[in-house]
Amino acid sequence: MISSRLKISFFQFLSFHLIIQFTLISSNFFEPFNVTYDHRALIIDGHRRMLISAGIHYPRATPEMWPDLIAKSKEGGADVVQTYVFWSGHEPVKGQYYFEGRYDLVKFVKLVGESGLYLHLRIGPYVCAEWNFGGFPVWLRDVPGIVFRTDNAPFKEEMQKFVTKIVDLMREEMLLSWQGGPIIMFQIENEYGNIEHSFGQGGKEYMTWAAGMALALDAGVPWVMCKQTDAPENIIDACNAYYCDGFKPNSPKKPIFWTEDWDGWYTTWGGSLPHRPVEDLAFAVARFFQRGGSFQNYYMGPNLISFGSGSEKDMSGSDCEYFGGTNFGRTSGGPFYITSYDYDAPIDEYGLLSEPKWGHLKDLHAAIKLCEPALVAADSAQYIKLGPKQEAHVYGGNLHIQGMDFSQFGSQSRCSAFLANIDERQTATVRFLGQSFTLPPWSVSILPDCRNTVFNTAKVAAQTHIKTAEYVLPLFSNSSVPARFIVRNEDSPQSTSWMTAKEPISLWSEENFTVKGILEHLNVTKDESDYLWYFTRIYVSDDDIAFWEKNKVSPAVSIDSMRDVLRVFINGQLTGSVVGHWVKVVQPVQFQKGYNELVLLSQTVGLQNYGAFLERDGAGFKGQIKLTGFKNGDMDLSNLLWTYQVGLKGEFLKVHTTGDNEKFEWFDLAVDAIPSTFTWYKTFFDAPAGDDPVALDLGSMGKGQAWVNGHHIGRYWTIVSPKDGCGSCDYRGAYNSGKCRTNCGNPTQTWYHVPRAWLEASNNLLVVFEETGGNPFEISVKLRSAKVICAQVSESHYPPLRKWSQTDLTGWNISRNEMTPEMHLKCQDGHIMSTVEFASYGTPKGSCQKFSRGNCHASNSSSVVTEACQGKNSCNIAISNALFGDPCRGVIKTLAVEARCISSSNSGYSHY
């Protein structure tokens, strides 16, 4: 039994949480409260807090998705939502601000407040975030004399105007904590410490100026700088890394904050997919709070240093979050970041939970919250070495470790402990306060009362989801629409009618111009399009042709350096393509006698989003550009006249919109048509029934862009990742970006999110621009859902965290032996369990979709689980001999279950 001496402590625990629940009132989200900090934590309305934060980037979802994302974050245990502010989206044209649609920042902040969560607003305004140009508007690079992120007057002037605009907007909308709003903290700059040295003394002066400028805005809440070891006294410096349990701020007066806990990794076109095991992620978070941390935010991406249990890695800055989302349009950064920003986050880009990551972290957060009274009461932990690679950190009053036993804790004491085994291979049994505890390798056990383990980071009881993309789409009822979808088989609905139009490889724009020499890509396009055309004419003499034939050589286009994609056309025909980031180009070409039209098409695939001197990075070509192999020597192409044309004719005519898109000459596409380059396609489709998220399967296409009802879904590229680099995944040991890779030998991305809010019930216009050749008849619209759920829980697991929370009401006066482990199964909202595919209580083998019975099996396993779960959205099953009988005495039993979920609207069940 738990000691009765703890009863008052846990009544105090309940009182503590009643105090910090602010009353919602009609004109504000909270009663106005102040936010300060000391060396231990943020102090909210006079109370220290241990805070879990969920990163959600509002433009990477639609406003219609925001409430559900915020609610799932809160259900998962978050206290705070964190987001960047995206300058390029809010000021696309200098002096012209935009706060609508996906950029309705005020609406997003208010939704966070309405949910009862706090907000951490990272203004930057440099954000990195794998966002195009790091979040800077491209017009910024054209400001005369500007140098980004240093002691440069033009840059500081523009930066100050934007930061002031955002802070003033938040103040005007009454969104700051002292006004009753949810904003408890701001951030200025972002990971500047990584590049500050590049600017010398100017970098130091700029950092000091940025901090002073932010503080002078008198926002009334704390400011943070991440990755800034020289942050001024009144700015909190914070850690960004895979592991931050060893991080210390630059002053003993500041708390330990973790603004970016990288829960995954970004993906580039042609790369395999990253996966960070949840056991390791939970270990990193538990170690952070164990060793004195107090604010932790789920994010994703590499940086220069890991602080703590992980090894050091030399990596460029990057990000993701609790919800990843989608890089709609041309917002993905570069070089070559994919359209999906899912990145193995606890909530995927469609808004579905990623299990077991979300569920295991939810349990972790609940365990940490049970420790919060002790964590905030103590100024620091008391350290106990338990073994060569095992240690305990104890939080609880003025305790003395030497000779300590549990009887020392009086009724007024609070005590919580974290027991860590940082051995990467071996399980360890340790003695703590007179008891034995078994710690799996690379794990932390959490003891909210210093006696009972309620959670271990390596013991996952949360269910697993197997997500699929299936299709259910009715036929068109409106026969006047020429295009419709049919279902050839269950998984591949295809359009019976497509129309097509060619993108001209010629001059069509009235705004093209001709100058001598090679102009830099962004100086011409201003990033209004990925595409910049360079046109010139090359004269080839009889002597040149004879020279090539005699010497068996070919002329070639030679460019010292190029990014991201180059297409070379001779007389309207595509001759070759080169892909790379500032790579040398030698592209053989073939000319005919006389004048030849040489066309170079420069394409961007996301502008650089990280590093010093972004304004200089540019795009297109650098260095010498010439034609080699001519009889009279190389031809310097920079001496020629070039005609420049920005974008595609289809873009200019807006053929992707639902309005008059007949300005192009469209033709019916034959089913047996040969795949064509630089071609537009369009068709219509009905929205699938139900509420499941919608995806376009573009696996049959090559490279291009897609729109639905005028909304830019993003870039697509069916480029295949290398076959090697994937394999088994072991959570143990420090994570790095090359560990636990998946999807080797397959296209990096084939499914593209189409938000439900962008769809009409019928006659949705789909427009695709294809660069390299693909088959639009194989494009399909699919539904994304978790159809299969699995779980595996043993008698050695801990009781569910909700039971520990319930015992708070009775002072935790309940025996650990009375609390049985449980399996919790849940389909996504709107779905129920239709069948139990596998169930075995005993010693089952394997993993999800590969379960098999072991030597020990309770014959009633399937009937018990079916009765408890079939026809329901969720169910709980006790892991108990009392329920299943004891099929093998003296053996620790495990229950393994696999169930299938279907939409409740199609189930035929009357109950839930």
Side-chain angles (χ1 to χ4, degrees), residues 770-784:
E770 172 59 44
E771 298 174 17
T772 62
N775 182 5
F777 287 103
E778 298 293 331
I779 294 175
S780 57
V781 180
K782 295 187 175 180
L783 295 177
R784 179 82 163 156

Side-chain angles (χ1 to χ4, degrees), residues 1-6 10 371 394-395 404-409 414-419 431-438 445-455 798 804 812 814 816:
M1 299 289 289
I2 294 177
S3 171
S4 61
R5 296 176 186 267
L6 283 180
F10 285 99
C371 300
V394 183
Y395 293 85
M404 183 173 71
D405 62 64
F406 193 70
S407 64
Q408 289 179 277
F409 296 94
R414 301 185 182 99
C415 179
S416 293
F418 295 76
L419 311 185
R431 295 286 295 177
F432 174 70
L433 294 183
Q435 295 188 99
S436 292
F437 294 87
T438 298
S445 285
I446 299 178
L447 290 66
D449 60 353
C450 284
R451 293 285 286 179
N452 293 284
T453 302
V454 301
F455 181 85
Y798 306 110
W804 291 104
W812 278 39
I814 185 168
R816 167 67 174 80

